Amino acid sequence: MTAVSAFFYRKPRLRLGFLLSAPLLWLGLAYLGALAALFVTAFWHTDAFTGQVVIEWSLDNFKTLFTDAVYRTITFRTVGIAALVTVIDAVIAFPMAYAMAKLASPRAQRILVIAVMTPLWASYLVKAYAWRSMLSGNGALSWLSPGYGVTATIMTLSYLWLPYMILPIYAGLDRLPDSLVDASGDLGARSLRTFRSVILPLTFPAIVAGSIFTFSLSLGDYIAVKIVGGTSQMLGNVVYDNIGAANNLPFAATVATVPVVIMLVYLAAVRRTGALDNL
Amino acid sequence: MRKLLWTALGLGLAVIYFPLVVVLLNSFNADTTFGFPPTRFTLEWWSRAAANEGALHALWTSVEAGLAATAIALVLGTMAAFALQRYRFFGRNPVSLLIILPIALPGIVTGIALNNAFRTILGIDLGLLTAIIAHATFCIVVVFNNVVARLRRMGGNLEEASMDLGATGFTTFRLVTFPMLRSALLAGGLLAFALSFDEIIVTTFTLGTGMETLPIWIYNNLFRPNQAPIVNVVAAVLIVASTVPVYLAQRLSGDTASGGRL
């Protein structure tokens, strides 16, 4: 035992290799491999009679995806909903996070963080279901209910992902030194100016970090849409239906590349803001 | 201005909690159409849910999957945390991106990618094991984040002191490093379990047919009118049960507050 320990101590590179091996094998092979395979499958198709996957390369799936008006509409709707949900959450979350980080006492801060985090882990499905029952004919929100549809979907998704936005912004504001805000005030800036020129630029990476979750989670959602969305569909529904009912895995894979490409572009775009270190 | 911000916080929290309270109330609502506000209360749904075979079976599957995924995530997440926190090496940034990727990409992508890999590429039938592998993949990041935060805070001085006093690497880990990491591991493990327990989208695509975790059971019974009261009870139980790991994790480690989904 001592000999092994000493051997590893003298060889830090070997130790690093050992530490990285298992996680990299798991994530690199199992996960990245699966993603790569998914991308490859997107170029195959299924046999119309047997429903089996046929390994034959073609761009037909992508052609359908880009030329069929139905899929174009669904793609735009999905991206639009995801963007709107992200903006709504950022606007609601910022003042909440600000009150938590800058106005509350340290003791109250801890309690408030727990208060925001707890519903985060209350089942996703339960919350979506709660909205269905509240928006229903005799539910608690029936007086303002827009019925089931895109508006209900946006309300529900904004609700579901709100804590994912509050927590990173809270962490960002918590790190922002009070002295900077005070200094801005001392130099004669009014609160709006301080917000625009000091607070917002410094907490922007945190807002972007939150947006990664709200945007990505909305892009891939299909369950909330099924529960409150009425007849309107999102990309996730197309993927789900093609895996299940239609049994067309290659086309599902093709559709699934859309959110992946959007997210990778988004992640690449926000890398430079330092948002990824705020996750 | 201060007043306005406090009001925003209060209103926001009210909106966050209102739907959860509605579900809790409805689980005692004697009226099966769940009109609001409830007029009569009953415990009948609770006793019926406690005897519901499907729900109990699903609960057990959820616990099994959660425990196994958490165990794998604890090992892999901790190893990755040590590697990335204690070493500077080529490719360090891509590796940290790889760790967050399973939760940064939409769940449906993770789900269908693994589904495709298992079924089409590897030819494995879906079962509990495939769901566990999928859950472990996105749970790694939770453990990773907790351990990294703790390693960053504790530095390396005590370990060096231990080595200077002649302890081997194993002894140092057992007597110095591990005790300082313990609460972070527990917090990470609890959150990983909660994440696995709540996950539905990835589970839908990776769990064998005929099997149900609790979220999938709820989903399958959501649109059956005569099951609604029992679904309400299970939902209420989940709301209450989910507060426990979060509260404990928060108590165990002061450094988990930062993340969004983590």
Side-chain angles (χ1 to χ4, degrees):
Chain A
M1 201 71 162
T2 315
V4 178
S5 170
F7 177 75
F8 266 108
Y9 183 71
R10 279 193 300 272
K11 302 259 190 317
R13 288 280 127 185
L14 212 64
R15 219 162 27 174
L16 172 66
F18 164 74
L19 285 173
L20 274 178
S21 58
L24 273 188
L25 268 175
W26 187 283
L27 288 168
L29 272 185
Y31 189 65
L32 276 190
L35 277 181
L38 181 72
F39 189 63
V40 166
T41 311
F43 293 93
W44 299 344
H45 63 92
T46 48
D47 188 288
F49 291 106
T50 60
Q52 293 292 315
V53 175
V54 181
I55 302 180
E56 226 173 48
W57 302 83
S58 81
L59 286 169
D60 291 354
N61 287 337
F62 286 95
K63 219 180 280 168
T64 314
L65 182 69
F66 285 117
T67 52
D68 200 326
V70 176
Y71 299 120
R72 240 191 347 245
T73 312
I74 292 177
T75 304
F76 283 128
R77 181 189 294 142
T78 306
V79 175
I81 289 176
L84 204 57
V85 165
T86 302
V87 172
I88 292 173
D89 276 346
V91 170
I92 298 179
F94 200 94
M96 291 180 70
Y98 195 88
M100 283 167 69
K102 293 295 175 208
L103 306 183
S105 67
R107 200 185 129 75
Q109 265 185 28
R110 274 185 78 85
I111 296 170
L112 286 167
V113 168
I114 294 179
V116 171
M117 260 186 103
T118 306
L120 194 68
W121 301 92
S123 174
Y124 158 93
L125 201 60
V126 170
K127 288 183 281 185
Y129 166 68
W131 277 83
R132 183 183 171 86
S133 67
M134 289 194 307
L135 294 171
S136 72
N138 55 358
L141 290 184
S142 54
W143 50 276
L144 72 67
S145 176
Y148 299 139
V150 172
T151 312
T153 307
I154 293 171
M155 285 167 75
T156 306
L157 289 177
S158 303
Y159 171 81
L160 284 168
W161 315 141
L162 182 62
Y164 295 116
M165 187 62 99
I166 298 176
L167 290 169
I169 298 184
Y170 162 76
L173 283 167
D174 199 39
R175 278 194 301 267
L176 175 80
D178 287 335
S179 55
L180 288 180
V181 179
D182 294 339
S184 170
D186 290 343
L187 291 169
R190 291 175 189 280
S191 20
L192 206 63
R193 180 65 201 260
T194 304
F195 173 74
R196 197 160 50 88
S197 306
V198 180
I199 300 174
L200 198 56
L202 287 171
T203 47
F204 188 68
I207 300 174
V208 174
S211 78
I212 291 175
F213 291 121
T214 58
F215 192 64
S216 164
L217 289 166
S218 307
L219 273 186
D221 190 88
Y222 68 93
I223 291 179
V225 193
K226 274 200 172 176
I227 293 176
V228 301
T231 52
S232 56
Q233 295 218 313
M234 290 175 75
L235 281 173
N237 301 85
V238 180
V239 176
Y240 181 80
D241 292 342
N242 271 292
I243 279 210
N247 194 23
N248 190 345
L249 194 70
F251 189 65
T254 312
V255 179
T257 55
V258 177
V260 175
V261 169
I262 294 175
M263 272 324 288
L264 289 181
V265 169
Y266 193 67
L267 286 176
V270 301
R271 250 183 87 105
R272 297 201 11 225
T273 64
L276 299 184
D277 303 321
N278 281 275
L279 288 180
Chain B
M1 199 64 198
R2 292 175 76 93
K3 237 183 204 160
L4 216 65
L5 288 164
W6 278 117
T7 317
L9 180 60
L11 272 178
L13 283 173
V15 171
I16 289 178
Y17 278 92
F18 182 69
L20 303 177
V21 173
V22 170
V23 172
L24 282 177
L25 273 179
N26 272 345
S27 73
F28 297 104
N29 194 341
D31 170 23
T32 48
T33 62
F34 303 124
F36 192 84
T39 43
R40 284 183 309 117
F41 293 96
T42 174
L43 282 173
E44 193 197 333
W45 315 134
W46 281 77
S47 61
R48 269 211 239 165
N52 188 299
E53 295 259 324
L56 291 177
H57 197 75
L59 171 68
W60 180 236
T61 309
S62 281
V63 170
E64 275 182 315
L67 287 178
T70 303
I72 298 170
L74 274 173
V75 174
L76 296 180
T78 309
M79 288 172 86
F82 268 94
L84 267 76
Q85 173 60 26
R86 292 282 169 84
Y87 299 88
R88 296 287 168 273
F89 56 92
F90 177 74
R92 189 167 162 270
N93 287 331
V95 171
S96 58
L97 184 66
L98 180 61
I99 292 169
I100 54 171
L101 208 56
I103 56 150
L105 289 182
I108 196 160
V109 174
T110 305
I112 176 186
L114 291 169
N115 176 297
N116 179 46
F118 290 136
R119 279 172 51 203
T120 320
I121 310 290
L122 299 173
I124 306 174
D125 285 330
L126 298 181
L128 183 62
L129 188 68
T130 48
I132 290 172
I133 293 174
H135 282 206
T137 303
F138 61 73
C139 284
I140 291 175
V141 65
V142 183
V143 176
F144 172 82
N145 266 26
N146 274 277
V147 176
V148 159
R150 178 62 52 87
L151 285 176
R152 203 176 282 152
R153 234 180 33 180
M154 71 191 208
N157 292 346
L158 289 172
E159 282 157 325
E160 278 169 24
S162 162
M163 300 291 231
D164 285 346
L165 291 169
T168 64
F170 287 117
T171 312
T172 301
F173 184 80
R174 191 165 57 86
L175 296 178
V176 180
T177 316
F178 182 72
M180 290 198 292
L181 275 184
R182 200 161 38 206
S183 62
L185 285 172
L186 207 53
L190 279 166
L191 291 175
F193 183 80
L195 189 61
S196 158
F197 202 80
D198 182 36
E199 169 54 51
I200 173 156
I201 296 185
V202 175
T203 320
T204 307
F205 291 106
T206 50
L207 191 67
T209 41
M211 306 185 75
E212 287 176 324
T213 58
L214 213 47
I216 292 189
W217 181 87
I218 295 183
Y219 186 66
N220 289 341
N221 288 283
L222 207 55
F223 298 105
R224 297 181 190 158
N226 55 349
Q227 285 282 59
I230 299 175
V231 170
N232 264 318
V233 175
V234 175
V237 171
L238 280 181
I239 290 172
V240 176
S242 65
T243 60
V244 179
V246 178
Y247 176 75
L248 287 179
Q250 195 65 31
R251 286 295 301 265
L252 282 167
S253 78
D255 39 35
T256 44
S258 64
R261 206 175 172 184
L262 325 168

